[in-house]
Amino acid sequence: MKIAILGGTGPQGKGLALRFAAAGIDVALGSRDGERAAEIAQQLNEKQPEATGVISGADNRGVTAAADEIVILAVPFAAHSATLKAIKPDLSNKILVDIVVPLADGDPKAVDMPAEGSATEAAQALLGDGIPVVGALHNVSAATLNNLGQPINCDILVCGNNLQAKEAVMELISSLGVNAYNAGPAVNARCIEAITPILIRLNISKKVPFSHAGVKIWAPDH
């Protein structure tokens, strides 16, 4: 299996690439600058030579076309719409996984949701119903993803309007050794994406004795 990560040269994209490669999944890193993506892919492969998955790099449209089924969007929200418009012709028969959170400009402790209600919904509106969009991986710290010596410390909430697409994404995420939960339709991304600035606020607070926290779904003890 080969997946694509657009915005893969950023901290979250690189962390995901390393994690998926370690799980035996090939990853194509995408960037507006294909040469830079290829250079970073080589650096990531050298970082964990024992990984059975191979990381490659190219421009965004190239890696989108190269993905077998799943394309992960990890760009800043400022580049969200432009990136989707550019890759839309290459998304036929594929699933777009939107992990973008629309944080307020200059204040990562708050969201600034688009008119559609969330980044996930905005992506679905732009791409149309023929391309399934799944919201996931919004609440995972980039520092946690890149700390390869430790397991991911949270569960993953997955939302979208296409059940088959959600199940495919949940299966992919489970390869990282985490629990993924079906959190309902795309409209629920408004709640899930809004958790991220809360976690950021807690993680930078001097009154909280930890950082890089995530969300965990606990079963009752009775």
Side-chain angles (χ1 to χ4, degrees):
M1 170 187 275
K2 176 180 281 189
I3 65 171
I5 302 177
L6 310 186
T9 58
Q12 196 165 22
K14 288 190 284 189
L16 285 171
L18 288 166
R19 294 277 182 171
F20 281 121
I25 295 167
D26 292 338
V27 179
L29 286 186
S31 172
R32 288 178 298 178
D33 184 342
E35 291 185 5
R36 180 169 181 267
E39 291 173 1
I40 290 178
Q42 182 177 351
Q43 293 169 9
L44 295 179
N45 285 321
E46 292 171 353
K47 188 171 183 177
Q48 53 174 16
E50 73 285 357
T52 54
V54 177
I55 303 172
S56 58
D59 63 89
N60 285 333
R61 289 201 64 180
V63 301
T64 300
D68 293 330
E69 180 184 26
I70 294 177
V71 177
I72 299 174
L73 185 65
V75 300
F77 187 66
H80 188 258
S81 292
T83 304
L84 287 173
K85 290 175 182 176
I87 66 169
K88 184 177 178 179
D90 306 299
L91 286 172
S92 179
N93 298 318
K94 294 181 182 178
I95 299 167
L96 191 282
V97 182
D98 199 323
I99 75 171
V100 178
V101 176
L103 297 174
D105 187 25
D107 184 8
K109 303 186 298 300
V111 287
D112 185 9
M113 293 298 192
E116 295 83 357
S118 66
T120 300
E121 292 170 279
Q124 189 67 82
L126 191 155
L127 295 176
D129 293 338
I131 299 171
V133 175
V134 175
L137 296 162
H138 298 106
N139 311 137
V140 186
S141 161
T144 295
L145 290 173
N146 283 279
N147 186 4
L148 301 176
Q150 296 294 327
I152 296 172
N153 64 338
C154 61
D155 296 328
I156 307 299
L157 301 176
V158 178
C159 64
N161 297 331
N162 184 304
L163 178 59
Q164 185 176 1
K166 281 190 290 187
E167 290 176 341
V169 173
M170 290 166 66
E171 182 178 357
L172 173 69
I173 291 172
S174 70
S175 70
L176 301 180
V178 298
N179 296 318
Y181 293 95
N182 181 351
V187 67
N188 288 353
R190 303 178 187 189
C191 303
I192 300 168
E193 292 174 22
I195 293 172
T196 296
I198 297 172
L199 292 172
I200 292 172
R201 181 179 292 274
L202 292 173
N203 289 336
I204 66 176
S205 172
K206 295 180 180 179
K207 296 184 178 181
V208 177
F210 53 77
S211 62
H212 312 309
V215 173
K216 199 80 173 174
I217 306 300
W218 289 100
D221 58 1
H222 56 78

